[in-house]
């Protein structure tokens, strides 16, 4: 099973593709990256760029599932609204591609990867590198996306037992 994890954002959207082996315990990192938006870009241009590049990733890797980080509460309402718009674009890209989408809270993702729901971003980054046997740590937004994909692979394991 190929899983595309996405960490949405209007400045940087991270993505990570992992493959869960047939035995259930094998997890292979296939690809990761970041969709970066230029400073000062119109929101409509940002959202279109996120959509277009996600469709390219979906077309290239043909994931069986998309996993997405759920919105967490914050003090800055304007930032949350922009994040929600980026999430909407991700949901639309998955829907247009007929791929089921699963959402996980940051707490669930951190607990699945690090074992502690309040882990720091750098701890998640390190564990993603270890779990996937990567030679170097991915950029933070890409490692978050890979962590979301890893989290989904863990939930699948629990469901299939």
């Amino acid at each position: 099973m190929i899983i595309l994890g996405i960490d949405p954002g209007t400045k940087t959207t991270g993505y990570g593709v992992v493959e869960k082996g047939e035995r259930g315990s094998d997890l292979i990192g296939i690809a990761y990256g970041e969709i970066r938006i230029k400073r000062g870009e119109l929101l409509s241009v940002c959202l279109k760029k996120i959509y277009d590049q996600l469709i390219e990733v979906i077309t290239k890797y043909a994931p069986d599932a998309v996993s997405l980080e759920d919105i967490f509460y914050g003090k800055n309402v304007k930032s949350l609204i922009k994040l929600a718009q980026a999430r909407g674009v991700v949901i639309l890209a998955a829907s247009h591609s007929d791929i089921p989408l699963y959402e996980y809270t940051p707490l669930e993702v951190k607990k699945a990867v690090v074992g502690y729901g309040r882990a720091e971003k750098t701890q998640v980054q390190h564990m993603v590198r270890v779990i996937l046997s990567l030679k170097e740590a991915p950029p933070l937004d890409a490692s978050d996306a890979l962590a979301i994909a890893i989290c989904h692979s863990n939930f699948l394991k629990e469901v299939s037992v």
Side-chain angles (χ1 to χ4, degrees), residues 107 110-111 114-124:
L107 190 77
K110 291 175 181 179
K111 195 168 183 180
V114 180
Y116 175 61
R118 304 275 184 226
E120 299 291 324
K121 276 183 150 309
T122 54
Q123 291 173 299
V124 172

Side-chain angles (χ1 to χ4, degrees), residues 33-67:
E34 294 178 327
I35 301 167
R36 295 187 167 274
I37 306 302
K38 293 178 186 170
R39 187 176 208 85
E41 197 100 59
L42 289 174
L43 181 61
S44 59
V45 174
C46 297
L47 296 175
K48 183 176 182 338
K49 184 176 182 179
I50 293 167
Y51 178 85
D52 290 344
Q53 290 192 20
L54 283 179
I55 291 296
E56 285 179 24
V57 170
I58 288 169
T59 301
K60 183 173 184 176
Y61 297 105
D64 301 297
V66 172
S67 53

Side-chain angles (χ1 to χ4, degrees), residues 7 11 15 29 44 51 53 64 103 110 113 116 146 157:
D7 180 29
K11 290 185 171 95
Y15 66 87
S44 59
Y51 178 85
Q53 290 192 20
D64 301 297
E103 298 178 47
K110 291 175 181 179
V113 175
Y116 175 61
L146 286 165
K157 184 176 180 182

Side-chain angles (χ1 to χ4, degrees), residues 12-32:
T12 305
T13 292
Y15 66 87
V17 182
V18 300
E19 184 172 10
K20 186 177 178 89
E22 291 181 20
R23 290 183 287 168
S25 61
D26 299 333
L27 201 57
I28 301 162
I30 296 175
Y32 60 83

